[in-house]
Amino acid sequence: MNQSLTDTVLKLTNVSAYYGFTKAIESVSFELKKGQVVGLIGANGAGKTTSLKVLLGMLKPATGTISILGMSRCSSRLFKRIGFAPEDATPPEYLTAREYLVFLSKFRKGENINSVQQIEEFLTWFELDPDKLVRKYSKGMRRRLILAQAFLGKPDLIVLDEPLNGLDPMMILKLRDRLKLYQKQGTTILYSSHILTELEQTCSDVVIMHRGSVIHQDSVENLVKQFGSVEKAFSAKIGAA
Amino acid sequence: MWALFLENCRYVLRSKMVVLVILFSTLVHLSGLKLINHLTVSIQEVVTVMGPKEAIRVGFYIQLFTALSIASVYGVWMAPYAHRGERSLLTHVLPVSKVYFPLCYGLCCGLLLIINEVILLMSFGWVMGFSFYSSDIFPWGSLIKTCMFQTLCLEVLMLSLALSSLVVGQINTVFLGATSLFVMQILGTFSHFFSKDPKFSLFTLKGLFVFVYEKLPPIGDFIFDFNLLSKGESVSFENLGLWMIWWLIICFLFVFKIRYPSNIRGAEG
């Protein structure tokens, strides 16, 4: 195994969480090592988004422990090292794309980034109109801006929730390349998606969730060897659960 | 904190809140003061001509009305903006301490209230002439004290409305807020009467009521305190302390609420 893959970046151990009195996830355990791109897959209501919310400290876990970049819980200092693209969020509509990224870069500023240069590069790369108000953006453009902000500042951990929703095919291909580039540079990526063919091409490992629990975690290579594709592996595991 | 504050100021500017505050406040203050200055009131053949002294007192109350409107709009709609719906997830992962949010909202709302107070001051000059500021009857002391006291109280109100908006929603907050103000005002009046009763004792139902009421934000006493300050008198330190304590409590609750934006469940999982 590559030396860079030995450091644990994220570890969930027996985590359960509730929405009110409804149990959303139960005894969820999985681990991400440095440089891994892990796909989180499951049907609607499987607990993918809830797991992401719990690990990012948006929902208090009822039981279990979370270790993220060596810390036991998310703090504002930790968020400097994490990029997150939620599924349906809209950035502040009174800002332009450039203003929004500049605003975020003030908080994420690290030694490894040159904010102005990186922001301009991101605006071009994600094909964003820099001076147009977010209010006037299409759904796809908003989505691209959400993704751009997640990559800003070269975070150690990037969490993407259904990143392909609303993206055109060209942007999907570009995003795939960017994820591979970040993976090579040692960034850890947790990627929740429905599109299993895409996950097969992008991820090194997958975590399969079903009815609030993790039912399987393995490398994409092993799953393809065993079942022929991630899609078939998913069907088999869900069928058996 | 500074970046967050500037961002909030940009929101206030781009949402046209500042323009609306200036227009609304100027219109209400100018028309109100013009109406009241030199107004002749005749009751049972007793004719009273309202002069600058009366206009100042009325000006204080006009200013209270506009300030209350500004704090309410800011609290119900503007402060919760970044913490509502899916946007709350983006706000949550901002690498900034959650404590700074209520402080920034407080500063922004404070700025809007200062604009409103400056407009009141300018309106005195426009209506009664700018030499009025240097006259003996212009109450600089009570004006400053009243504005400071009112700003503290309205900051508590603004943050309470913002918190309520996050918990029960904006429309519910408008009605809940209006009802609470009304009820607390009545309770405040009762409390005043009860505590002045010579047979008043803490070990009665009335006593228990006053004991509990005195621990709540002194909304019911606000208008009495405001009246005292506008007349140049002082208010009790107890009430001032209570307002400050409640500001801290509401700040803490607000931070706690935005700490776990978990009630927003996404379409997935």
Side-chain angles (χ1 to χ4, degrees), chain A residues 19 44-45 47-50 53 56-59 73 76 79-80 87 89-90 93-95 99 103-104 146 149 194, chain B residues 3-4 7 10-11 14 81 86-87 89-90 92-98 259-262 264-269:
Chain A
Y19 284 112
N44 289 348
K48 305 188 296 290
T49 301
T50 305
K53 283 183 181 176
L56 290 170
M58 294 168 188
L59 182 63
R73 64 181 196 93
S76 54
F79 284 134
K80 284 188 181 190
E87 188 188 357
T90 305
E93 288 162 320
Y94 57 90
L95 294 176
E99 285 168 347
F103 167 64
L104 291 176
I146 291 289
Q149 63 81 31
H194 275 130
Chain B
L4 199 63
E7 206 44 50
R10 178 141 54 183
Y11 176 41
R14 296 236 170 120
Y81 175 78
E86 292 288 326
R87 191 172 293 113
L89 306 183
L90 284 175
H92 178 79
V93 294
L94 268 182
V96 58
S97 168
K98 304 279 180 286
R259 174 72 188 82
Y260 293 109
S262 56
I264 309 122
R265 193 172 177 177
E268 285 291 310

Side-chain angles (χ1 to χ4, degrees), chain A residues 16-19 21-26 28 45-48 50-51 59 209 211-213, chain B residues 265 269:
Chain A
S16 303
Y18 291 79
Y19 284 112
F21 295 106
T22 315
K23 191 170 254 186
I25 53 169
E26 189 175 10
V28 168
K48 305 188 296 290
T50 305
S51 300
L59 182 63
M209 290 194 75
R211 291 184 185 156
S213 302
Chain B
R265 193 172 177 177

